[in-house]
Amino acid sequence: MAKIVTIREVRRFIIQSLRAAGGRDAQCEDLADILVAADVRGHYSHGLNRLEMYCEDYQRGTSDKDASPVTEKETAATALVNGNNCLGATVGKYCMNLAIQKSKEIGVGVVTAKGSNHFGIAGFYGLMAKEAGLVGISLTNTSPLQVPTRGKVCTLGTNPISVIAPAQRGDYFALDMATSAVAIGKVEVQRRKGEELPAGWGCDVNGIEAKDATDVIVDGGLFPLGGPEISGGYKGYGLALMVEMFCGILSGAHWGPHIRKWQAPNETRTADLGQFFMALNPAVFGEGFSERLQLLMDYHRALEPIAGVDSVLVPGDPERSHETLCHDSGGIPYHEALIRDMGIFAEKIKVDPMETLD
């Protein structure tokens, strides 16, 4: 059963928890923006579900609460940023703002970052560019959680790709996807709810498809996008390597199997994640970009759907529907298991638990 929590209350809880863990105000607010946006858009794997991880990073000192990102190399169109082990949300905002500035000046801005940390949903940064009337692209590598096609050891992260572009009347195209079959957070959510994994999500220690979330999280790994090789998983594997090239290799950050393990209790190394941000001004290309994009999306939405579904969707439609649900509900609906776990965490970190509307 879902429990509704107002956005204001969720934000309050996140900021107080991060402060209790030693976070500084500006970084706490940066992260609260992104975690709330994830849950409002229906990406529950990257919202409150991630709060405890960020707090533990502060408490263990594996991310630097006193650091700030700095630009190390720069041209009119490009920049290399050192995140200095700062909170990933702060690094991401800094980089995309820099890319947006360059795009407004000369048409394109490309920024890579090293020394970063987990930055939340990749789409958040593309939305920043979209609000400026630009096309936004954001990529990141992550801790190795994905098993390459024909392998059985995790060597790549979920390595997400996000591309967001403005259309008309506030509408927009919003691709935000992992290059693994799913994000690891979705597997964690299944375990939290006590439910089996859908087909094609992940494998056990022997590379055999798993139904138990614990088998994937503890000793196994995620399949690439597409699942096993026979169903096209090699394509997701190729995309994950591409993201690694743009993020880890291009920036000089850690890459693939050299990135620290995911949420390992004895892991003290810095993450040194690599990230990639691009802002592109469509006005420097063909005329009528937003209008033509709107036509493209509306054409597909108007197609006759298969039996049992209401409509054909385009990337971003499910997130917009969830935003509407939150607005109409007066807050964000959370699974009661997450509310319970956040209550336990609140007691542990000594902050007031979230209040629900029901």
Side-chain angles (χ1 to χ4, degrees):
M1 180 178 178
K3 300 286 187 179
I4 307 297
V5 186
T6 66
I7 291 175
R8 181 185 181 91
E9 176 66 359
V10 175
R11 184 177 174 82
R12 187 275 307 167
F13 179 70
I14 292 170
I15 291 174
Q16 286 188 359
S17 297
L18 291 166
R19 285 173 177 164
R24 301 293 183 252
D25 286 352
Q27 291 191 23
C28 295
E29 290 173 6
D30 285 341
L31 185 56
D33 289 342
I34 292 169
L35 297 188
V36 169
D39 285 343
V40 168
R41 292 177 67 77
H43 292 289
Y44 287 109
S45 58
H46 283 63
L48 270 181
N49 185 60
R50 285 276 164 267
L51 178 60
E52 189 168 1
M53 177 193 77
Y54 289 112
C55 290
E56 288 176 351
D57 275 355
Y58 271 150
Q59 291 170 328
R60 292 200 303 259
T62 49
S63 65
D64 190 343
K65 62 181 180 296
D66 297 314
S68 297
V70 295
T71 302
E72 289 192 342
K73 295 172 66 176
E74 190 170 15
T75 69
T78 67
L80 170 65
V81 169
N82 189 336
N84 288 317
N85 198 33
C86 187
L87 196 70
T90 299
V91 177
K93 281 188 171 184
Y94 177 94
C95 290
M96 185 51 88
N97 279 326
L98 185 55
I100 288 170
Q101 175 189 331
K102 292 178 179 297
S103 180
K104 287 182 174 180
E105 292 172 353
I106 64 168
V108 63
V110 179
V111 179
T112 64
K114 61 182 179 179
S116 190
N117 284 286
H118 194 281
F119 73 177
I121 53 169
F124 182 88
Y125 307 98
L127 289 169
M128 291 173 60
K130 186 267 295 183
E131 290 300 314
L134 308 171
V135 177
I137 300 174
S138 54
L139 320 171
T140 184
N141 63 10
T142 77
S143 297
L145 295 163
Q146 181 180 164
V147 174
T149 300
R150 300 190 178 187
K152 55 183 180 181
V153 176
C154 293
T155 61
L156 294 164
T158 57
N159 291 16
I161 298 171
S162 179
V163 181
I164 298 184
Q168 292 184 301
R169 301 178 298 278
D171 201 0
Y172 55 93
F173 173 90
L175 177 70
D176 187 359
M177 55 174 252
T179 55
S180 54
V182 292
I184 190 66
K186 293 186 182 298
V187 178
E188 293 167 346
V189 169
Q190 290 296 105
R191 181 167 69 169
R192 191 189 299 274
K193 294 191 295 185
E195 297 178 4
E196 281 192 350
L197 298 182
W201 278 27
C203 62
D204 62 19
V205 68
N206 296 310
I208 306 302
E209 185 166 347
K211 290 293 185 182
D212 189 325
T214 300
D215 288 339
V216 173
I217 293 170
V218 176
D219 295 312
L222 299 170
F223 278 135
L225 181 65
E229 182 175 7
I230 194 170
S231 58
Y234 57 90
K235 298 176 184 179
Y237 169 41
L239 286 173
L241 283 173
M242 180 196 75
V243 172
E244 198 65 67
M245 176 186 71
F246 279 119
C247 295
I249 305 302
L250 189 62
S251 70
H254 282 164
W255 54 269
H258 301 295
I259 299 173
R260 72 180 186 189
K261 292 184 178 180
W262 178 253
Q263 293 185 306
N266 298 320
E267 182 66 86
T268 58
R269 293 178 296 165
T270 58
D272 189 19
L273 297 186
Q275 289 154 355
F276 177 95
F277 306 85
M278 177 184 287
L280 188 69
N281 187 350
V284 304
F285 297 98
E287 296 294 326
F289 173 82
S290 294
E291 293 85 352
R292 288 161 60 81
L293 177 59
Q294 191 68 55
L295 289 171
L296 173 66
M297 296 193 299
D298 287 346
Y299 179 89
H300 285 86
R301 288 167 173 155
L303 292 171
E304 182 179 356
I306 60 173
V309 299
D310 295 330
S311 61
V312 175
L313 304 177
V314 299
D317 284 347
E319 288 85 351
R320 276 184 290 273
S321 293
H322 199 271
E323 287 176 343
T324 300
L325 171 65
C326 291
H327 179 269
D328 293 345
S329 302
I332 305 171
Y334 289 108
H335 193 279
E336 59 185 3
L338 181 63
I339 296 296
R340 178 200 65 218
D341 290 348
M342 288 299 100
I344 295 170
F345 177 63
E347 184 176 352
K348 174 183 174 182
I349 205 165
K350 296 181 172 55
V351 299
D352 292 334
M354 291 187 298
E355 294 184 3
T356 63
L357 293 182
D358 48 348

